[in-house]
């Protein structure tokens, strides 16, 4: 199939883009923003979305940059998954980004798709919304009213739905770095590498000053309607890492994470994956919290 007819717009800066969105919506138009297009164009081709106007921001200057500070990683709206995956400074600041991006679709998709676009698409099966929520990140949204920061805890309101206003343009996403003594991990199971996850887990484990388990948190892909992280500390809080009952954390996750059946998995199988993958992710995150910053090996994709 082919998309329904639409009018094409190509603004040159953020101010022009947000003014255009405001004007089009003010006149009763229906507009969509095009960045990487890896989510939008397929649904337009299937006519699941038929916007009257397409606002292509690929000519907007300054949105293709990755900024790294001691506090976090700021990713512009035009930064491709592949560019972020290969960014050495972003990896050093937050290794979880690269580890997760290697699970996002296939290289061809990552070459064109944008991280901010994936976040704003708010697919419950997508990896990057879960990471943003896990680290307490936020999206920077611009409009004719100015800029505002939208925390992940307020951004995702349901499957494929965010709290961004129709005339707002997401210009960046900010991922704070993890505090000292915190390890992270991301694991998932898919029918084929690069497919949507049947189930996935992003986890962090924080240790106290004595090296004992403090806080354990996990967020989920393809389980539940939003990536809001859960606190799973109870079974292991205060334990020495080597003696902690990580299987009990997986069982707690099985009890509290909702799962549904679809064409890929029964609810029971997905619930089993929640337990197994949670145990695997928190065990790995705890080990990394002990050992210091994680560095992927060549076998995992890139050396630091």
């Amino acid at each position: 199939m082919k998309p329904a007819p639409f009018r094409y717009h190509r603004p040159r800066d953020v101010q022009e883009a947000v003014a255009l969105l405001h004007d089009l919506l003010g006149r009763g138009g229906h507009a969509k923003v095009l960045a990487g297009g890896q989510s939008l164009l397929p649904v337009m081709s299937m006519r699941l979305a038929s916007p009257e106007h397409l606002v292509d921001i690929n000519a907007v200057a300054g949105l293709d940059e990755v900024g790294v500070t001691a506090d976090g990683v700021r990713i512009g709206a035009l930064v491709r998954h592949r560019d972020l995956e290969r960014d050495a400074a972003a990896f050093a600041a937050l290794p979880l980004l690269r580890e997760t991006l290697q699970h996002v679709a296939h290289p061809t998709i990552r070459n064109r798709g944008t991280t901010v676009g994936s976040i704003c698409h708010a697919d419950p099966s997508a990896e990057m919304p879960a990471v943003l929520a896990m680290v307490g990140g936020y999206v920077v949204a611009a409009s004719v009213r100015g800029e505002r920061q939208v925390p992940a805890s307020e951004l995702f309101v349901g499957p494929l739905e965010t709290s961004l206003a129709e005339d707002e343009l997401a210009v960046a996403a900010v991922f704070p770095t993890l505090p000292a003594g915190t390890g992270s991990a991301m694991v998932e199971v898919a029918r084929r590498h690069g497919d949507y996850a049947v189930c996935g887990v992003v986890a962090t484990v924080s240790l106290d000053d004595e090296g004992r388990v403090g806080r354990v948190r996990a967020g989920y892909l393809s389980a539940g309607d939003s990536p809001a992280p859960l606190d799973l500390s109870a079974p292991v809080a205060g334990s020495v890492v080597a003696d902690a009952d990580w299987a009990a954390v997986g069982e707690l996750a099985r009890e509290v994470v909702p799962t549904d059946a679809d064409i890929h998995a029964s609810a029971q199988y997905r619930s089993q994956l929640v337990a197994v993958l949670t145990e695997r992710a928190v065990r790995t995150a705890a080990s990394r919290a002990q050992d210091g910053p994680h560095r992927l090996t060549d076998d995992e994709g890139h050396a630091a």
Side-chain angles (χ1 to χ4, degrees):
M1 296 181 66
K2 296 181 179 179
F6 58 86
R7 293 194 63 184
Y8 176 80
H9 307 268
R10 192 173 174 87
R12 296 290 175 174
D13 55 41
V14 171
Q15 290 72 26
E16 182 183 354
V18 297
L20 179 60
L21 286 171
H22 182 75
D23 180 60
L24 292 174
L25 293 168
R27 291 190 277 117
H30 178 212
K32 286 288 187 180
V33 174
L34 173 66
Q38 301 305 292
S39 298
L40 177 61
L41 296 183
V43 297
M44 288 179 60
S45 294
M46 292 184 286
R47 302 207 176 188
L48 298 175
S50 300
E52 299 169 277
H53 301 271
L54 197 62
V55 179
D56 182 351
I57 63 170
N58 279 275
V60 175
L63 297 186
D64 60 349
E65 300 171 356
V66 178
V68 180
T69 68
D71 297 326
V73 181
R74 179 186 170 105
I75 302 163
L78 292 177
V79 173
R80 313 297 167 179
H81 292 308
R82 194 65 166 168
D83 292 333
L84 179 59
E85 181 185 345
R86 293 177 170 178
D87 192 288
F91 173 65
L94 192 60
L96 182 61
L97 289 174
R98 180 180 290 176
E99 182 176 22
T100 303
L101 282 163
Q102 291 176 353
H103 291 278
V104 174
H106 303 278
T108 301
I109 300 297
R110 295 202 295 273
N111 284 341
R112 189 63 192 168
T114 63
T115 299
V116 175
S118 175
I119 290 168
C120 293
H121 189 55
D123 191 324
S125 298
E127 291 86 357
M128 299 315 293
V131 175
L132 188 74
M134 178 57 60
V135 301
Y138 60 88
V139 163
V140 180
S143 70
V144 294
R145 300 175 294 281
E147 282 191 355
R148 69 182 181 113
Q149 297 178 1
V150 187
S153 58
E154 300 174 8
L155 179 66
F156 304 110
V157 297
L160 306 178
E161 185 179 5
T162 72
S163 61
L164 295 176
E166 288 189 89
D167 66 343
E168 285 186 307
L169 173 66
V171 296
V174 178
F175 294 77
T177 53
L178 296 173
T182 298
S184 62
M186 190 277 170
V187 294
E188 71 174 44
V189 167
R191 297 180 66 188
R192 296 173 301 179
H193 181 73
D195 285 1
Y196 280 115
V198 177
C199 181
V201 182
V202 180
T204 59
V205 174
S206 299
L207 307 183
D208 63 21
D209 293 339
E210 297 179 352
R212 294 181 178 273
V213 178
R215 195 176 188 193
V216 178
R217 300 169 72 239
Y220 293 86
L221 290 58
S222 301
D225 292 338
S226 77
L230 302 175
D231 192 313
L232 303 175
S233 308
V236 291
S239 301
V240 175
V241 170
D243 299 332
D245 189 354
W246 300 113
V249 177
E251 288 304 315
L252 175 59
R254 188 204 299 268
E255 294 174 8
V256 299
V257 176
T259 56
D260 295 314
D262 57 23
I263 61 172
H264 302 298
S266 67
Q268 182 180 9
Y269 175 60
R270 188 167 273 123
S271 183
Q272 173 69 6
L273 285 177
V274 165
V276 171
L277 296 183
T278 298
E279 178 184 354
R280 187 179 304 169
V282 297
R283 189 185 295 274
T284 301
S287 176
R288 291 172 178 171
Q290 277 190 315
D291 297 341
H294 176 49
R295 293 294 178 262
L296 299 181
T297 66
D298 288 335
D299 289 341
E300 294 174 287
H302 302 277

